[in-house]
Amino acid sequence: MRSIQPPPVLVRRALRVVWPLLALTITILGLPVLVAGALASVVDRRARLFRATSLLILVVWLDVQLLIGCWRLRLADPRGASPSWYPDHEQLLSDVLDKAMALGRKWVGFEVRLDDVMDLGDPGKPLIAFARHAGPADSLAVAWLLSRTGGRLPRIVLADALRWDPGIDLILTRLGSSFVPSASGAGDDRLAGVRRLADSLARKDALLLFPEGENWTPSRRGLLITRLREAGQHARARQAERLRNVLPPKTKGAIATLSARPDADVMIVAHAGMGRLTGAREIYAAIPFERPFLVHTWTYPAETVPHEPAAIESWLSARWAEIDAWVERQGE
């Protein structure tokens, strides 16, 4: 995802117009596959092709619903100056997240569970959440959980390649989320958006970041260890070797965020159950999922979190070791 460049502005605008027609085309092309999947379910009792195709088509139309919802809000408030402009978009996104999670449960058994009470911190302070990145739809699940469990729909830092999705692009742009430039983007300050989001957090806001930068997979872990050794970063290579289920966290974003908002409580988010589903083949073979997406959180009051760069690095590394140990105990 990080290697994919975002569409130019004119292409983004064009996608917002033609996306319903493209969705209709995808649906028509998917109908024969859907029929084949229904017939194949006689042999494949798990009905994987039927389930996966049905979910894909429904999610495409859910994205169209998101886009049309944004159009309606613009028509109702052309200047975007109403006091309800931001809350209305939050409600739209929350409703679509609810529907997406319901579809995931119904069609492929994607069920999110908490293994303990989620502490959202002081309700009078903003919350910064650092989450593990692994498995299918983990960012969606964590964002939904923060929204529905604690009423804190998070602002998200995500790859700017996701601007190819017109619904996501439009609503998250309006909500002020940060689309991080790809690593190859010459001259781009990849932390500018993170700092902007941190600075703008109100007392009931949440900011969600994934410090690993990309989904954990065995191959990425191995390549990272090799690169670190070749670069002479032996201490960091040893850290990566000790972590079996996560990648070492990249700390620049965390440092920028915590330095900007020393008043924010911090949540660490671990999850297990689907982290080993690292590719399309593994995901497809596991449908319907038999294990839940199990989530565990640790919340730290602002005054207990360090804010000096070196101390943040050590603190976050320790937290990621705890995530790794917790995932290991779940038998993932």
Side-chain angles (χ1 to χ4, degrees):
M1 183 68 72
R2 292 171 59 207
S3 63
I4 301 173
Q5 294 297 316
V9 174
L10 290 178
V11 175
R12 288 169 56 197
R13 292 175 178 171
L15 282 171
R16 293 172 188 175
V17 175
V18 304
W19 182 225
L21 292 176
L22 292 175
L24 181 59
T25 302
I26 291 170
T27 302
I28 293 171
L29 293 175
L31 288 177
V33 182
L34 198 62
V35 173
L39 295 174
S41 63
V42 176
V43 178
D44 179 11
R45 296 297 184 181
R46 299 172 71 93
R48 286 170 290 192
L49 182 59
F50 181 73
R51 290 173 182 271
T53 307
S54 298
L55 181 61
L56 173 62
I57 292 173
L58 290 168
V59 167
V60 165
W61 283 104
L62 196 58
D63 194 68
V64 172
Q65 178 184 333
L66 187 62
L67 184 63
I68 292 174
C70 287
W71 292 350
R72 288 175 176 167
L73 290 174
R74 175 63 75 184
L75 288 173
D77 184 10
R79 298 175 59 189
S82 167
S84 66
W85 174 259
Y86 195 92
D88 285 346
H89 282 82
E90 284 192 321
Q91 186 61 54
L92 172 62
L93 182 55
S94 292
D95 291 344
V96 169
L97 279 174
D98 282 345
K99 292 176 181 177
M101 299 307 298
L103 288 174
R105 286 193 298 272
K106 177 178 179 179
W107 289 101
V108 297
F110 188 87
E111 182 179 359
V112 181
R113 292 183 191 170
L114 277 168
D115 78 332
D116 203 347
V117 176
M118 176 183 274
D119 179 3
L120 274 294
D122 187 334
K125 295 180 180 179
L127 180 72
I128 296 171
F130 297 120
R132 180 198 185 200
H133 210 1
D138 66 327
S139 54
L140 180 71
V142 174
W144 175 80
L145 198 57
L146 285 170
S147 171
R148 282 309 176 205
T149 301
R152 295 196 189 220
L153 180 67
R155 304 188 190 186
I156 307 173
V157 179
L158 64 169
D160 63 357
L162 288 171
R163 287 195 184 276
W164 284 101
D165 182 318
I168 293 294
D169 178 25
L170 185 55
I171 194 164
L172 291 187
T173 296
R174 291 185 183 178
L175 287 175
S177 290
S178 175
F179 290 85
V180 179
S182 67
S184 60
D188 286 322
D189 181 359
R190 305 185 75 238
L191 298 177
V194 177
R195 295 191 190 98
R196 175 181 56 79
L197 286 184
D199 288 337
S200 66
L201 290 177
R203 64 184 183 89
K204 290 186 177 181
D205 286 340
L207 175 59
L208 175 59
L209 300 97
F210 297 87
E212 290 158 279
E214 55 188 346
N215 271 32
W216 175 94
T217 68
S219 60
R220 282 183 183 144
R221 175 178 178 270
L223 287 172
L224 176 61
I225 292 171
T226 299
R227 287 200 303 267
L228 291 172
R229 285 174 177 164
E230 291 175 348
Q233 300 182 36
H234 300 297
R236 192 162 168 79
R238 288 193 294 271
Q239 179 194 21
E241 288 175 331
R242 288 193 295 269
L243 299 174
R244 299 174 57 87
N245 308 285
V246 294
L247 300 175
K250 299 175 182 178
T251 55
K252 288 183 179 180
I255 290 171
T257 303
L258 295 177
S259 298
R261 297 308 301 259
D263 59 321
D265 292 337
V266 177
M267 175 185 287
I268 303 297
V269 184
H271 58 79
M274 298 185 186
R276 297 284 168 176
L277 304 179
T278 58
R281 182 176 297 178
E282 290 88 350
I283 294 171
Y284 181 80
I287 293 173
F289 305 126
E290 296 179 352
R291 295 187 63 181
F293 184 92
L294 185 66
V295 178
H296 183 86
T297 63
W298 300 263
T299 302
Y300 300 86
E303 58 272 16
T304 68
V305 179
H307 295 93
E308 294 298 323
I312 290 173
E313 288 189 9
S314 298
W315 185 84
L316 196 61
S317 294
R319 304 290 77 75
W320 243 247
E322 291 171 355
I323 291 177
D324 186 62
W326 180 85
V327 173
E328 192 73 22
R329 290 196 296 273
Q330 308 315 308
E332 185 177 279

